[in-house]
Amino acid sequence: MPATGTQPARQAFIGLGSNLKNPLYQIRRAISLLAALPDCRLIKQSSLYRSAPMGSVDQPDFINAVVHLQTTLMPHDLLRALLEIERRCGRIRTYPNAPRTLDLDLLLYDDLQCHEEGLTLPHPRMHERAFVLQPLMEIKQDCMIPGQGLVTGLLAACTEQRLECISTS
């Protein structure tokens, strides 16, 4: 996807998670849907990982991944596209950290830092979550999270979190 005359291509990283209705299928389907988004190009996807739930822990394990997209969509437009994919995949928001068919998080958008209605970049808790940091590091080892530091150093602080690679990219 070349940059358009009005909007240059931006780098976006999306976190994926699922723990309901065949999570492996949900993640693979979501990656296909992300790759098919208009004005986006899938650059790279991570391996798939199994992780224990955080917060509300009385639920099944999650399958997680991260993808790198190149996009000419503005951040709010990309977020709307992610929410529409969640909806198409049966996501119902009942309570925070509830089990879900699909969760798509806009983790990073270039080096943008913002806190606006409905959008915080970088994603507010990504630097504390091995299930985000490990697949992100796999895609971009020298990744810097604005305001937090290098992914490699942040991941070292998450050693207590259970994470298992179940499928390589």
Side-chain angles (χ1 to χ4, degrees), residues 5 30 57 90 110-111 114 120 128:
V57 295
D110 280 346
D111 293 328
C114 74
T120 299
E128 302 169 343

Side-chain angles (χ1 to χ4, degrees), residues 36-95:
L37 278 176
D39 302 312
C40 294
R41 182 169 62 106
L42 179 67
I43 302 298
K44 195 166 186 181
Q45 70 185 59
S46 74
S47 301
L48 303 180
Y49 291 84
R50 177 177 290 117
S51 66
M54 297 186 81
S56 180
V57 295
D58 188 21
Q59 57 182 300
D61 284 352
F62 278 84
I63 303 300
N64 299 99
V66 170
V67 299
H68 175 190
L69 295 178
Q70 189 176 54
T71 184
T72 57
L73 294 173
M74 296 303 292
H76 281 284
D77 296 327
L78 180 55
L79 181 60
R80 276 191 288 280
L82 299 181
L83 294 172
E84 176 58 21
I85 290 173
E86 285 182 354
R87 189 198 62 73
R88 286 178 55 193
C89 291
R91 172 80 186 262
I92 299 170
R93 295 177 185 273
T94 52
Y95 58 90

Side-chain angles (χ1 to χ4, degrees), residues 113 122-128 144-151 153-154:
Q113 294 184 63
H123 189 278
R125 291 167 305 285
M126 67 179 284
H127 64 282
E128 302 169 343
M144 174 72 75
I145 299 175
Q148 298 298 330
L150 281 171
V151 167
L154 297 167

Side-chain angles (χ1 to χ4, degrees), residues 13-16 46-47 49 51 54 64-67 107-108 122-146 148-161 163:
F13 292 86
I14 314 300
L16 299 89
S46 74
S47 301
Y49 291 84
S51 66
M54 297 186 81
N64 299 99
V66 170
V67 299
L107 303 172
L108 299 167
H123 189 278
R125 291 167 305 285
M126 67 179 284
H127 64 282
E128 302 169 343
R129 296 178 169 168
F131 64 82
V132 170
L133 297 171
Q134 181 63 45
L136 182 58
M137 188 176 73
E138 180 184 322
I139 291 175
K140 187 173 188 226
Q141 194 163 20
D142 63 344
C143 186
M144 174 72 75
I145 299 175
Q148 298 298 330
L150 281 171
V151 167
T152 51
L154 297 167
L155 183 59
C158 298
T159 56
E160 299 298 315
Q161 297 174 31
L163 189 67

Side-chain angles (χ1 to χ4, degrees), residues 98-109:
R100 61 208 82 145
T101 55
L102 184 63
D103 187 24
L104 298 176
D105 289 327
L106 180 52
L107 303 172
L108 299 167
Y109 183 94

